[in-house]
Amino acid sequence: MIARSIRSEVDHGVAELVEDPDRPMSWTLLVDGTAQSHVDLTDPTHLEFEYVRRLGHVLDAAAPPAAPLRVLHLGGGAWTLPRYVAATRPGSGQRVVELDGALAELIAARLPADGLGLEVRVGDARAELARVPDASVDVLVVDVFAGARIPAHLTSVAFVGAAARVLAPGGLYAANLADGAPLEFAKSQVATARAALPELAVIAAPDVLRGRRFGNLVLVAGREPLPLAALIRAAAGDPFPARVEHSRALGRFCAGAPVVTDATARPSPVPPPGFFGRPEPQPDSSAQP
């Protein structure tokens, strides 16, 4: 089967929607060749990317099954996780913040999410976060990449402090990180989050945690004890099993790592060639999802 694709200039590069040849009505979003999202329009509970499934585990563990949540998504992509929450927790109040207005318009037109109750705002993640009322969010998901790197201004203790401000009692902060050996960025992000939120865990593949390959790590934090048992079960049962580091093990992981300030903040590392890479479709610009 020849995969179809749609290319479009957006505000911050070139977006491409590539049809998944193995799943009908499924599409991968790439921006400047970097894979950003995968969406199954017929089954929004299908989460293709490993790190997205791990963020899904956090959302699953945040409240009893099917209970609505107030979720703030910093980073829109193709709205994969907002669709997942709408399917698994009907009635949830969700806000999506996306910097690229043209990209948001493309997704709304080509991969519509009508009737899901999503509020999509165009703006900078940190600036929009500053406008969110105190204690109004049950889960804050941070999945923001400029190209293939996390912007520096979303890595500081001031940013995590702003995130902590909007969390309701029992609320969870979940951030997608990307790093490789010697994991200096990931360790500093754990130390930084710890300065603002006392309860932390990291979900990642064992070889990523050991620094054997570049990969994604999901940082989970909150003021109250985390749902560790549920996260550990879900991560262990994933098609690509992951570990959940917490407590003393996580303390050893970030020992000696500096807390990042706005003055010292840097973007996440450049991924190695091929990481976050695009599939190899045969383009057909006339395709319609």
Side-chain angles (χ1 to χ4, degrees), residues 173-192:
Y173 170 88
N176 175 33
L177 310 176
D179 200 5
L183 296 174
E184 290 180 355
F185 176 78
K187 292 174 181 178
S188 70
Q189 288 302 286
V190 172
T192 300

Side-chain angles (χ1 to χ4, degrees), residues 71-73 93-97 116-122 128:
V71 186
L72 174 61
H73 304 265
Q94 299 191 83
R95 179 181 301 174
V96 181
V97 176
L116 300 186
L118 305 184
E119 177 188 354
V120 180
R121 291 196 176 184
V122 175
E128 291 297 321

Side-chain angles (χ1 to χ4, degrees), residues 6-147:
I6 299 165
R7 292 172 60 88
S8 178
E9 295 280 346
V10 291
D11 294 338
H12 297 279
V14 177
E16 186 176 9
L17 290 170
V18 181
E19 185 183 36
D20 185 336
D22 298 320
R23 296 187 68 89
M25 297 295 291
S26 296
W27 297 79
T28 298
L29 167 67
L30 304 103
V31 178
D32 290 339
T34 297
Q36 303 280 352
S37 304
H38 179 279
V39 170
D40 186 328
L41 294 177
T42 59
D43 181 10
T45 66
H46 174 77
L47 303 177
E48 182 77 11
F49 297 166
E50 289 179 42
Y51 84 87
V52 177
R53 288 199 299 274
R54 288 163 192 161
L55 289 169
H57 298 333
V58 177
L59 289 159
D60 290 344
L69 289 172
R70 296 167 295 174
V71 186
L72 174 61
H73 304 265
L74 299 183
W79 313 338
T80 304
L81 283 172
R83 299 171 199 268
Y84 177 80
V85 172
T88 58
R89 298 181 178 277
S92 293
Q94 299 191 83
R95 179 181 301 174
V96 181
V97 176
E98 171 58 56
L99 180 63
D100 195 313
L103 177 60
E105 290 179 3
L106 174 68
I107 298 305
R110 299 290 189 173
L111 305 177
D114 300 335
L116 300 186
L118 305 184
E119 177 188 354
V120 180
R121 291 196 176 184
V122 175
D124 174 78
R126 186 159 168 180
E128 291 297 321
L129 179 62
R131 299 184 177 95
V132 177
D134 292 359
S136 63
V137 174
D138 297 315
V139 182
L140 171 53
V141 178
V142 184
D143 187 14
V144 181
F145 282 76

